[in-house]
């Protein structure tokens, strides 16, 4: 019998797809206020506010909630609502705002214009929060979201404490803080920021965001590894030849040249997103899905990363910067021609590193990581490449036998594929590689929600599983510091060294060739 399509449960009255029953997140129970610092910025418009709106649309937000935007630009509550409406209309995955939902949502949006170091404006924030508690029934629960430029994070935290908005000042309810990346620009600055955070918040109240961890296929890594029996026995040095983690983009710096030129690919992608992927693939099974059990294992594996000595940097890493080229058939400028980028910049837009994990499971298995902008294709994946068979029984017919590969596809395709060998149909015993593919879209009949939607909801619920704990952030900085130091002090004469739209610099290929391996094609 066909399932009945019901209109119950959707805030905009639209029909609910019964096939999705049980797949959506549950409604958050605690009433709360969310305060977005940096509310005029791109992140708020493109990601955060559309995420909040869709959480409301899908009945995930609690009945009683308020949203406060705080930033430097001058505007009224009314202007802010209009601006957010335009942003949601443009960027929301559910299309333009719908009535009567939008009017109800907009009435819960307030704006405070202020400088991040003026206590008066923070007092105004306090007043608004108290008013919301009274009028919207938000019960004193507060989620602060730092979406400002990172230089401002410490100031906001200090001001919150100064006006009595820190968790210790609270008579009722809970307070949490979400900290956007980058968490520091090197090990020292990360430690300094952590010291500031620590003065006001306890670790369990801090949610360091890495949006890669909110991507559905990234969460599936744990399901693949720990909800199946057939992968874990071969997930080790006895069977795995190497692991290749790729986060390739076709975009350039997208108007963020000012930030990026001081960051580069190693800081922007490898230190956080890519190393977090490594941790999920390489960690030991946690004893439960509890946030701290998972994060304990991530910390353990990251602390086993073999330090790369400054002398080894040349052999263990490669870097590149794109010149002009063709992306999706269209000509694009080189990095040095991008807006707000130094025309003689030596910032890398491509970084690749080889790490080893010094533990029983992974001894001597190389983990190759790479990330770059303006590459041939947007493509992120983790490929576990297995060793060859120990003995060949098929003679010439087996010449095309490949080594097995398991690929966790992160984006744009989402799923898992396994490459293995099969007999080619026919009278002879010809063998070649074939691919078995699982895709989320077709497998579950759903389109994954954007990572930010999942992560903000988790922070509102108090579930820190998909957020990075300080000890892991520190380990990740420790792993990349020798590379950053070495790159800073060695001239890069060959930049730009790859064409926009290509596979990346030749030196990255050479790094694997020297080990008798090659990169998978982007
Ligand atoms: C951000 C980086 O963290 O991740 C950007 O700062 C990068 O430079 C982006 O483009 C990539 O995210 P995604 O989800 O598009 O892979």
């Amino acid at each position: 019998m066909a399932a009945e399509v019901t209109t119950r449960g959707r805030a905009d009255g639209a029909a609910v797809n019964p096939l999705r029953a049980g797949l959506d997140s549950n409604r958050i129970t605690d009433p709360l206020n969310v305060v977005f610092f940096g509310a005029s910025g791109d992140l708020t418009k493109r990601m955060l506010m559309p995420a909040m709106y869709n959480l409301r649309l899908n009945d995930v937000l609690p009945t009683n909630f308020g949203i406060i935007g705080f930033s430097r630009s001058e505007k009224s509550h009314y202007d802010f609502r209009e601006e957010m409406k335009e942003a949601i209309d443009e960027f929301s995955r559910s299309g333009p705002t719908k009535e009567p939902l939008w009017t109800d949502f907009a009435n819960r949006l307030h704006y405070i214009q202020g400088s991040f170091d003026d206590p008066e404006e923070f007092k105004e924030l306090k007043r608004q929060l108290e008013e919301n508690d009274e009028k919207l029934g938000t019960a004193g629960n507060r989620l602060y979201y730092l979406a400002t430029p990172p230089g401002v994070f410490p100031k906001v935290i200090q001001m919150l404490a100064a006006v009595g908005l820190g968790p210790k000042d609270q008579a009722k309810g809970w307070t949490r803080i979400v900290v956007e990346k980058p968490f520091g620009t090197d090990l020292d600055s990360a430690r300094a920021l952590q010291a500031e955070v620590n003065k006001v918040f306890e670790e369990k109240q801090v949610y360091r965001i890495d949006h890669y961890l909110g991507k559905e296929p990234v969460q599936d890594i744990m399901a693949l590894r720990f909800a199946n029996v057939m992968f874990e026995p071969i997930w080790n040095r006895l069977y795995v030849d190497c692991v290749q983690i790729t986060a390739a983009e076709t975009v350039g710096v997208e108007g963020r040249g000012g930030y990026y030129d001081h960051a580069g690919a190693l800081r922007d992608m490898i230190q956080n997103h890519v190393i977090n992927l490594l941790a999920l693939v390489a960690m030991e099974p946690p004893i439960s899905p509890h946030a701290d059990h998972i994060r304990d294992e991530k910390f353990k594996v990251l602390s086993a990363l073999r330090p790369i000595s400054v002398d080894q940097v040349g052999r263990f890493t490669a870097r590149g910067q794109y010149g002009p080229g063709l992306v999706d058939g269209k000509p694009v400028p080189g990095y040095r021609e991008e807006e707000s980028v130094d025309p003689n910049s030596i910032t890398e837009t491509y970084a690749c590193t080889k790490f080893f994990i010094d533990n029983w499971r992974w001894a001597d298995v190389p983990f190759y990581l790479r990330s770059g902008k303006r590459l041939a294709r947007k493509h992120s994946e983790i490929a576990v490449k297995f060793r060859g068979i120990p003995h060949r029984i098929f003679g010439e017919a087996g010449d095309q036998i490949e080594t097995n590969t398991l690929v966790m596809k992160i984006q744009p395709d989402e799923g898992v594929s396994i490459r293995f060998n099969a007999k080619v149909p026919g009278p002879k015993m010809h063998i070649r590689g074939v691919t078995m593919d699982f895709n989320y879209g077709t497998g579950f009949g759903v389109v994954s929600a954007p990572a930010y939607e999942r992560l903000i909801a988790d922070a509102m619920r108090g579930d820190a599983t998909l957020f990075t704990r300080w000890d892991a952030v520190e380990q990740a900085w420790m792993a990349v510091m020798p590379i950053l130091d070495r790159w800073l002090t060695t001239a890069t004469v060959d930049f730009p060294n790859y064409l926009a739209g290509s596979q990346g610099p030749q030196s990255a290929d050479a790094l694997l060739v020297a080990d008798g391996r090659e990169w998978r094609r982007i």
Side-chain angles (χ1 to χ4, degrees):
M1 195 179 80
E4 189 193 348
V5 173
T6 164
T7 57
R8 269 189 305 126
R10 273 281 294 241
D12 62 346
V16 169
N17 173 357
L19 297 174
R20 299 183 58 176
L23 292 176
D24 281 348
S25 318
N26 299 323
R27 187 186 279 250
I28 295 158
T29 45
D30 287 359
L32 54 90
N33 276 294
V34 184
V35 183
F36 290 110
F37 292 98
S40 301
D42 231 35
L43 185 69
T44 306
K45 288 183 197 152
R46 284 173 183 267
M47 300 289 177
L48 307 179
M49 209 50 84
M52 290 299 286
Y53 177 80
N54 281 303
L55 287 171
R56 173 70 191 97
L57 181 67
N58 292 313
D59 277 324
V60 179
L61 289 188
T63 321
N64 298 341
F65 73 95
I67 301 174
I68 303 175
F70 188 117
S71 83
R72 292 193 188 108
S73 346
E74 197 167 333
K75 61 189 128 206
S76 62
H77 295 310
Y78 177 79
D79 299 335
F80 182 58
R81 290 170 186 167
E82 280 305 293
E83 204 176 293
M84 292 303 116
K85 182 173 187 319
E86 276 169 32
I88 295 166
D89 286 346
E90 186 174 352
F91 299 115
S92 162
R93 69 182 174 114
S94 56
T97 49
K98 297 173 181 67
E99 290 297 355
L101 184 76
W102 168 251
T103 302
D104 174 67
F105 188 86
N107 287 338
R108 296 162 184 276
L109 287 180
H110 292 90
Y111 181 74
I112 290 166
Q113 185 246 321
S115 126
F116 295 112
D117 47 14
D118 184 349
E120 287 313 308
E121 319 297 356
F122 280 76
K123 283 183 193 154
E124 177 55 19
L125 171 63
K126 191 172 184 204
R127 194 206 52 74
Q128 185 67 58
L129 282 165
E130 284 163 3
E131 184 182 308
N132 283 4
D133 284 345
E134 203 172 297
K135 294 195 177 151
L136 301 176
T138 41
N141 296 324
R142 291 156 195 176
L143 181 72
Y144 302 128
Y145 195 118
L146 296 185
T148 61
V152 190
F153 295 169
K155 284 187 194 154
V156 175
I157 292 168
Q158 286 155 11
M159 280 299 133
L160 287 170
V163 303
L165 281 176
K168 291 176 196 123
D169 309 301
Q170 225 168 355
K172 58 175 178 145
W174 49 255
T175 296
R176 300 178 193 133
I177 189 162
V178 179
V179 187
E180 257 300 330
K181 74 174 263 280
F183 199 90
T185 53
D186 57 17
L187 182 58
D188 287 347
S189 60
R191 283 180 171 155
L193 173 58
Q194 174 60 13
E196 289 301 323
V197 171
N198 241 338
K199 285 182 196 160
V200 181
F201 293 92
E202 290 172 39
E203 182 61 30
K204 64 175 194 291
Q205 295 160 334
V206 184
Y207 290 68
R208 292 176 201 79
I209 213 161
D210 178 325
H211 76 278
Y212 263 58
L213 297 180
K215 290 181 193 277
E216 217 36 84
V218 174
Q219 295 170 50
D220 190 45
I221 298 170
M222 284 219 298
L224 181 92
R225 291 193 56 198
F226 307 131
N228 295 296
V229 75
M230 61 189 177
F231 303 118
E232 231 15 53
I234 52 169
W235 212 258
N236 58 50
R237 61 185 295 275
L238 298 178
Y239 294 94
V240 176
D241 170 63
C242 73
V243 177
Q244 298 187 7
I245 307 183
T246 301
E249 301 184 89
T250 49
V251 292
V253 288
E254 307 262 271
R256 294 159 72 226
Y259 148 76
Y260 194 86
D261 212 28
H262 293 104
L266 192 67
R267 283 190 177 91
D268 187 50
M269 296 288 292
I270 304 275
Q271 186 273 339
N272 36 77
H273 304 320
V274 182
I275 288 194
N276 266 319
L277 297 181
L278 174 146
L280 285 169
V281 170
M283 71 185 190
E284 294 302 314
I287 56 168
S288 86
H290 185 276
D292 270 329
H293 289 151
I294 293 173
R295 299 191 307 171
D296 287 349
E297 295 307 334
K298 286 170 74 178
F299 167 71
K300 273 200 268 179
V301 76
L302 293 181
S303 53
L305 281 177
R306 187 184 303 168
I308 298 179
S309 71
V310 172
D311 299 342
Q312 287 171 327
V313 170
R315 282 179 293 122
F316 278 56
T317 72
R319 59 183 152 160
Q321 187 191 76
Y322 62 86
L326 287 179
V327 171
D328 294 332
K330 294 197 191 87
V332 297
Y335 176 68
R336 289 177 178 177
E337 285 87 62
E338 300 269 16
E339 196 190 320
S340 311
V341 168
D342 176 354
N344 298 312
S345 172
I346 57 156
T347 299
E348 83 285 354
T349 58
Y350 179 105
C352 122
T353 66
K354 169 165 76 169
F355 282 114
F356 288 101
I357 298 171
D358 282 336
N359 65 14
W360 194 277
R361 183 191 287 260
W362 294 117
D364 295 328
V365 176
F367 282 71
Y368 299 103
L369 320 183
R370 65 177 163 172
S371 179
K373 294 204 178 279
R374 288 285 192 227
L375 293 170
R377 204 153 68 89
K378 181 170 174 78
H379 180 66
S380 297
E381 64 166 37
I382 302 167
V384 179
K385 293 186 70 82
F386 292 93
R387 291 180 184 275
I389 46 173
H391 175 61
R392 301 174 83 92
I393 62 168
F394 295 110
E396 272 178 26
D399 275 355
Q400 293 194 44
I401 289 183
E402 298 173 10
T403 49
N404 301 138
T405 308
L406 184 149
V407 182
M408 287 156 265
K409 299 183 289 180
I410 295 166
Q411 63 185 17
D413 296 340
E414 302 186 329
V416 178
S417 79
I418 297 178
R419 186 94 182 144
F420 61 102
N421 296 293
K423 178 183 172 299
V424 180
K428 294 208 174 128
M429 193 62 180
H430 280 312
I431 295 177
R432 69 171 169 80
V434 292
T435 303
M436 196 158 70
D437 236 348
F438 158 71
N439 276 303
Y440 272 94
T442 41
F444 290 109
V446 288
V447 177
S448 303
Y452 273 102
E453 234 174 276
R454 165 70 197 252
L455 293 173
I456 297 177
D458 280 3
M460 291 192 265
R461 281 200 185 89
D463 180 352
T465 312
L466 302 177
F467 295 82
T468 321
R469 209 168 60 185
W470 162 246
D471 53 4
V473 175
E474 188 177 37
Q475 288 300 323
W477 275 120
M478 284 159 74
V480 300
M481 276 323 290
I483 311 172
L484 284 174
D485 289 343
R486 181 73 180 182
W487 284 1
L488 195 68
T489 52
T490 36
T492 44
V493 281
D494 62 343
F495 279 7
N497 61 353
Y498 70 96
L499 296 178
S502 70
Q503 294 284 314
Q506 206 266 325
S507 52
D509 294 338
L511 192 113
L512 267 72
V513 170
D515 291 350
R517 301 187 175 91
E518 58 180 28
W519 281 113
R520 287 168 50 80
R521 254 191 105 64
I522 288 173

